[in-house]
């Protein structure tokens, strides 16, 4: 029996402009596929994340629920923010769900995505090109990621990989074990030219988060970038899961729980963030735009 064609969408997440933000391929599965196929397709797309959605019909929740898995070109991931946003955007924009809230069953537990009104867009419904704007953000509810002190005996490896001589602070996240580096300024974050081969030698299980305080006139609270060459992604253009640690760190430093964050990668991206300290959750708000769709023939 021939395999059913798999419909896919390529979505730029944490942006409302095509070819900005972070791209993810969203594949809609109607039947199970083996691990080798899932990884091969992710390698074929060769972008930071490819995710797979399978509708779950036996869920007890009143909200539609889907199994969601994330793959880089070389490995499956336990958590990915931008591909979750892309998945939710795909489901909302194609009317595959009749709900403002979606639940995803993942390796990190049940994650939710919901529509949240964009008041500014609602008040300015006519965009410059004459087309209606999306009048909502998609809000993801993710676990907060605390940071802990880092073993400074290995700092020299990290400084060499980043190509910097000094840092303001250095931590490690307790969830994904990302190295968390704070630089003296937002400009130093944006101008960073890391050595990816050296990064692969650095400690930490996943990648390196680099951040700096945003200039007051920018309209942002902090800048960041995320590098993950160990998992086949030299730079993740806008890493949602990294902001689960960024929100926790900057909340302690700035004494606030609401942020507008700028991802300073070449593609750039914007996130609106709320840290729920009591429940140890992070709400990430962003937009997305579909740039491609098609079918997998194999």
């Amino acid at each position: 029996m021939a395999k059913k064609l798999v419909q896919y969408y390529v979505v730029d997440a944490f942006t409302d402009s095509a070819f900005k933000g972070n791209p993810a391929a969203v594949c809609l599965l109607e039947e199970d596929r083996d691990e080798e196929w899932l990884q091969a397709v992710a390698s074929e797309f060769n972008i930071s994340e490819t995710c797979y959605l399978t509708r779950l019909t036996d869920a007890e929740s009143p909200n539609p629920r889907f199994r969601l898995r994330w793959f880089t070109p070389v490995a499956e991931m336990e958590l990915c923010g931008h591909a979750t946003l892309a998945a939710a955007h795909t489901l909302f924009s194609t009317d595959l769900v009749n709900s403002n809230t979606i639940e995803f069953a993942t390796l990190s537990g049940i994650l939710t995505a919901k529509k949240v009104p964009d008041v500014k867009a609602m008040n300015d419904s006519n965009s410059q090109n004459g087309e209606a704007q999306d009048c909502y953000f998609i809000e993801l509810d993710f676990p907060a990621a605390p940071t802990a002190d880092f073993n400074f005996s290995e700092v020299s490896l990290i400084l060499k990989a980043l190509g910097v001589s000094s840092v303001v602070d250095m931590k490690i996240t307790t969830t994904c074990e990302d190295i968390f580096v704070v630089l003296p300024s937002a400009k130093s974050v944006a101008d960073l030219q890391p050595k990816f081969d050296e990064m692969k030698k650095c400690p930490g299980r996943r990648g390196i988060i680099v951040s700096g305080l945003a200039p007051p006139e920018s309209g942002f609270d902090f800048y960041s970038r995320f590098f993950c060459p160990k998992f086949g992604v030299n730079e993740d253009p806008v890493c949602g899961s990294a902001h689960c640690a960024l929100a926790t760190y900057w909340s302690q430093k700035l004494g606030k729980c609401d942020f507008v964050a700028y991802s300073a990668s070449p593609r750039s991206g914007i996130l609106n963030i709320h840290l729920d300290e009591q429940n140890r959750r992070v709400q990430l708000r962003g937009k997305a735009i579909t740039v491609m769709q098609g079918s997998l023939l194999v």
Side-chain angles (χ1 to χ4, degrees), residues 148-228:
D149 291 335
F150 180 68
N151 178 6
F152 285 86
S153 65
E154 299 178 289
V155 165
S156 60
L157 287 174
I158 299 166
L159 296 181
K160 181 179 179 182
L162 294 176
V164 299
S165 57
S166 63
V167 300
V168 173
D169 201 0
M170 190 175 294
K171 302 283 188 179
I172 188 167
T173 68
T174 59
T175 50
C176 297
E177 296 181 19
D178 292 323
I179 303 301
F180 188 111
V181 179
V182 181
L183 296 182
S185 68
K187 185 178 186 302
S188 60
V189 174
D191 293 345
L192 201 66
Q193 295 184 341
K195 302 175 180 65
F196 299 116
D197 287 341
E198 296 296 329
M199 276 192 175
K200 294 177 182 178
K201 305 173 187 176
C202 289
R205 182 164 58 89
R206 193 173 69 153
I208 300 180
I209 303 167
V210 181
S211 189
L213 193 64
E217 69 277 8
S218 68
F220 301 105
D221 292 292
F222 58 84
Y223 281 30
S224 71
R225 293 170 72 181
F226 181 64
F227 307 101
C228 196

Side-chain angles (χ1 to χ4, degrees), residues 90-169:
T90 298
L91 295 172
F92 285 138
S93 63
T94 57
D95 295 324
L96 289 173
V97 294
N98 185 25
S99 172
N100 287 330
T101 301
I102 306 169
E103 296 179 354
F104 298 109
T106 77
L107 291 178
S108 294
I110 300 298
L111 306 176
T112 62
K114 66 179 181 180
K115 290 183 178 180
V116 176
D118 178 355
V119 176
K120 183 177 183 299
M122 293 172 69
N123 293 335
D124 184 21
S125 58
N126 295 321
S127 63
Q128 292 181 356
N129 61 9
E131 296 178 358
Q133 295 179 338
D134 285 338
C135 293
Y136 64 89
F137 290 100
I138 295 174
E139 180 181 279
L140 309 179
D141 184 76
F142 273 30
T147 60
D149 291 335
F150 180 68
N151 178 6
F152 285 86
S153 65
E154 299 178 289
V155 165
S156 60
L157 287 174
I158 299 166
L159 296 181
K160 181 179 179 182
L162 294 176
V164 299
S165 57
S166 63
V167 300
V168 173
D169 201 0

Side-chain angles (χ1 to χ4, degrees), residues 52-53 56 65-70 76-80 84 103-112 141-143 281:
Y52 301 95
L53 285 169
L56 300 176
R65 182 175 289 185
F66 294 79
R67 180 180 298 110
L68 175 61
R69 298 176 70 179
W70 310 281
E76 185 171 11
M77 302 298 286
E78 294 180 1
L79 184 64
C80 178
T84 305
E103 296 179 354
F104 298 109
T106 77
L107 291 178
S108 294
I110 300 298
L111 306 176
T112 62
D141 184 76
F142 273 30
R281 306 291 294 184

